[in-house]
Amino acid sequence: AQSVSQHNHHVILSEAASLELGCNYSYGGTVNLFWYVQYPGQHLQLLLKYFSGDPLVKGIKGFEAEFIKSKFSFNLRKPSVQWSDTAEYFCAVNAPQAGTALIFGKGTTLSVSS
Amino acid sequence: DAGVTQSPTHLIKTRGQQVTLRCSPKSGHDTVSWYQQALGQGPQFIFQYYEEEERQRGNFPDRFSGHQFPNYSSELNVNALLLGDSALYLCASSGGQGRFGEAFFGQGTRLTVV
């Protein structure tokens, strides 16, 4: 069965620090990859997605992620975080051959202090 | 353009009761998926509806059932509620002719079973 692992449960950073959140998935075939963010009191929003092509994808608010197929990874990065980035971040995977469901990781809570 | 809307936002039910949650998809979307998000966990896929039929189902018991109406709105029904059914229930819409794409999430319904 497909699964998604997010390595960090809670990350605490100061403003302007760099961010990298790890995500690994277990599925050997073609995958679509996503990072979603949930700001306090708001609904899940898409940060970025990878379907095919350039493995380095750029999303909203200065976030980017790199798909490394050989490592089954899709890590999220941001060079300089802001207080407003405080949120919960979810990595999600879809395996088209298995249907259209999204499989989510458990999430990483990011706290940014000003 | 309204996004995904869910009702109610909160409700409290007693063990053994039945509950119905409702979802209106984003305009132009024809596919609705339901997810359960327990506290501290990522969303877990329950099932997906397209063309008024259940297209894919996750690992949830038959107590969880659903329906999609001709206007693409959807209901999630849970029978014989258990304490463990307490969670945030998320609806996501996607598609256009059933194609997989970015999923847009509603704010969820917080169900508490006492």
Side-chain angles (χ1 to χ4, degrees), chain A residues 21-40:
Chain A
L21 302 182
C23 172
N24 285 89
Y25 64 92
S26 65
Y27 188 74
T30 302
V31 291
N32 299 316
L33 299 159
F34 306 81
W35 276 97
Y36 280 84
V37 61
Q38 190 168 31
Y39 298 104

Side-chain angles (χ1 to χ4, degrees), chain A residues 45-63:
Chain A
Q45 301 171 43
L46 183 70
L47 264 183
L48 47 78
K49 61 189 176 188
Y50 172 81
F51 283 4
S52 64
D54 187 344
L56 183 63
V57 293
K58 295 190 184 300
I60 61 172
K61 304 186 180 186
F63 286 90

Side-chain angles (χ1 to χ4, degrees), chain A residues 55-75:
Chain A
L56 183 63
V57 293
K58 295 190 184 300
I60 61 172
K61 304 186 180 186
F63 286 90
E64 64 179 32
E66 184 176 13
F67 171 48
I68 303 180
K69 189 174 181 178
S70 61
K71 294 185 178 180
F72 299 90
S73 71
F74 190 57
N75 292 353

Side-chain angles (χ1 to χ4, degrees), chain B residues 19-40:
Chain B
V19 69
T20 298
L21 311 182
R22 295 177 176 83
C23 172
S24 292
K26 182 177 169 60
S27 177
H29 286 180
D30 58 9
T31 302
V32 173
S33 302
W34 287 92
Y35 291 81
Q36 181 195 65
Q37 187 177 11
L39 206 59

Side-chain angles (χ1 to χ4, degrees), chain A residues 32 34 36 38 41-44 46 49 51 90 94 98-102 104-106, chain B residues 35 37 40-43 45 48 55-56 88 90 98 100-107:
Chain A
N32 299 316
F34 306 81
Y36 280 84
Q38 190 168 31
Q42 296 189 26
H43 59 278
L44 275 169
L46 183 70
K49 61 189 176 188
F51 283 4
F90 293 94
N94 161 255
T100 56
L102 288 172
F104 283 85
K106 290 187 176 182
Chain B
Y35 291 81
Q37 187 177 11
Q41 303 292 317
F45 176 73
Q48 184 181 85
R55 180 160 72 170
Q56 189 179 356
L88 181 67
L90 298 170
F100 177 77
E102 174 183 343
F104 289 78
F105 284 82
Q107 288 216 303

